[in-house]
Structures are given as C-alpha cells and as structure tokens.
Amino acid sequence: MTSPWVARLGPVADPRVRVVCVPQAGGGTATFRPLSGELPRDIDLLALRLPGRETRRREAPLRRMDDLVDTLLLELDRYKDLPLALFGYCSGAYLMIELARAMVRTGRPAPARLFACGACGPATVDRGRGVHAMPDAEFKDYLGQFNVTPPAILGDPALFGMFEPAIRADFEVFETAPFAPGPPLDVPVTAIAGRDDAGVPFEEVLEWREHTSRAFTLRVLPGSHDFFTANLRALGAAMASDLKCDLKEG
C-alpha cells in the first residue's frame, strides 16, 4: 500500500494495530519518525504527509477542513485490514477528531482510539485569533511564544519561508471550521498534555473527555508545548499500554 498522503515510519512484524499520526501546523512525517523506535513492533506507525511539505512541498496546501477530511477518508480506506487509531498532535488533533467523526458518520469502522496530544479540547480551543492571517512579525512571535515552530526554523528567514505557507494553511483549516456539537464518539480517548504548557490550559485539555462515551485517559508529561520530543520513551510506553487494552477489549 503506497500513497503520497501516508508514510510508514518504521519496520513492523505481524502488526496488530495501526496508528495514523496527524501532524501539527506545518509539520510532516519527520515529527513522528523518532516515535517509531519507542513502540512495539506489532504497532504499525504511519503519518500523514499533507500537501505543501516534505516531498510534497511544491503542492499547494489545502485550506479547508472538509477538503482534507473527504480526501483522507478515501486514503485511509486502504488500511482497513487492521484496527486503526488516530494520533493528533497540536492543531492536528482538530483534523483528527473531524476525521474520526466522518469515519463513523459514513459507516466506516470507528477508530480504535484517539490520542489528542498537546491540544485543547475541540469545543474550547480559540478559533478566533486569526493566527493564519497575522502579519509576518506577529505571526512569528506567536509561533515562538507558544513553541509551535522550532527556533531553528523561526530564526532562519529562508528556512521559515519554506514552512510558512503550510503553517498558515493548517491554522486556517481549523480556525475557519467551527466545531459543531454532536454526540460523543464510541471511541476511547487519551489526552496527553505537557505539565508546563502555558498555551494549552489543563482545564481545556480535560474537555476531550466530553467527546467519548468510552474510557477517557489523561496523561501528563514533563515540559511545555514541546514536551513531545523530550518524552518519546514515556509517550511510546503510554500509547502501547492504551492500545494493548483496546485490543484485549476488542
């Protein structure tokens, strides 16, 4: 199974479950590749590669939630032979939950689990900041203040220029897609937060529990908004533990 939209991140042996990672604003598969080494070999780790980044850098990024969801539904149909979990990092969590809702709404198998990492709940996140339309200086200040984009990228004008269109597009995707109330999903949810993440208040992380009728798990790891990269081993162990429970229940 090959697709420009989905990349396999590591070797697997007799996989029992797949996890599809949805990247942060402007991110790609590289964000999640180190995580593959912290997961058991029976977990097949995949990541979305959206237009406008990595090998698809010359393609225009998509800017509307519906366009992304409709396309990804068809792409993920290739992977229905195993239980499929979704892992949404930062703003990727909002695409993740819309994709999960669409999977259920269209009669596809529901995700095995949702992992919301470094993200406020979808009903509480501030979609009115207009980050995607900020002037350049304000935009870079925002990305730096909340650790959305690494300093090495922000500090290099040429490098930032390569990432900026995709970052703005990804903010536009969720800022222009109001979250519609709906019944909770029959899907377990794990919310993962950084203990010192000033941009993702703890009480807003807890809002994820309103979107599941199954088990809700909260995991808090050391660090601020960039806690993901500093806690790969703990993150991998937590994911493996939750997925193992899901497979037993299934």
Side-chain angles (χ1 to χ4, degrees):
M1 293 178 285
T2 59
S3 164
W5 290 84
V6 182
R8 175 166 284 110
L9 301 184
V12 291
D14 300 319
R16 301 175 61 209
V17 61
R18 289 195 172 95
V19 179
V20 175
C21 300
V22 187
Q24 76 281 22
T29 63
T31 299
F32 305 101
R33 198 170 296 279
L35 181 60
S36 66
E38 305 298 339
L39 294 172
R41 293 286 292 276
D42 62 355
I43 297 177
D44 188 11
L45 188 68
L46 311 173
L48 298 182
R49 180 180 285 129
L50 304 179
R53 65 215 74 200
E54 297 181 333
T55 58
R56 307 185 70 187
R57 185 169 59 85
R58 296 185 183 278
E59 299 178 42
L62 297 183
R63 299 177 178 276
R64 291 293 177 266
M65 183 72 76
D66 287 349
D67 293 339
L68 276 169
V69 169
D70 290 347
T71 299
L72 291 171
L73 280 176
L74 298 177
E75 291 296 327
L76 294 185
D77 280 344
R78 304 165 183 256
Y79 300 94
K80 291 194 294 187
D81 57 316
L82 290 175
L84 189 95
L86 299 176
F87 183 104
Y89 181 33
C90 193
S91 61
Y94 309 122
L95 173 55
M96 174 194 72
I97 192 168
E98 296 299 346
L99 183 56
R101 289 170 127 193
M103 291 166 72
V104 172
R105 187 171 61 247
T106 56
R108 291 170 165 84
R113 180 175 288 267
L114 302 183
F115 293 94
C117 182
C120 300
T124 61
V125 65
D126 185 357
R127 299 172 192 250
R129 289 175 178 164
V131 175
H132 71 278
M134 285 179 176
D136 289 350
E138 185 181 357
F139 183 58
K140 293 181 75 172
D141 285 347
Y142 178 91
L143 299 178
Q145 178 183 356
F146 293 105
N147 292 313
V148 176
T149 304
I153 294 176
L154 290 174
D156 184 326
L159 188 58
F160 181 70
M162 294 171 58
F163 282 85
E164 182 179 5
I167 298 172
R168 286 189 182 274
D170 289 351
F171 270 99
E172 186 174 350
V173 164
F174 84 87
E175 287 186 327
T176 58
F179 185 74
L185 295 170
D186 186 26
V187 176
V189 171
T190 297
I192 308 164
R195 184 175 294 125
D196 302 312
D197 189 348
V200 184
F202 185 72
E203 62 273 13
E204 295 190 22
V205 175
L206 288 176
E207 200 266 332
W208 282 100
R209 65 186 170 188
E210 304 301 322
H211 304 287
T212 177
S213 60
R214 299 273 298 281
F216 173 77
T217 303
L218 174 66
R219 299 190 181 275
V220 180
L221 299 177
S224 58
H225 195 62
D226 55 356
F227 73 91
F228 177 94
T229 54
N231 295 277
L232 287 173
R233 180 164 295 181
L235 183 58
M239 292 173 64
S241 175
D242 289 350
L243 291 169
K244 184 177 181 180
C245 291
D246 298 335
L247 292 173
K248 283 182 178 179
E249 291 178 3

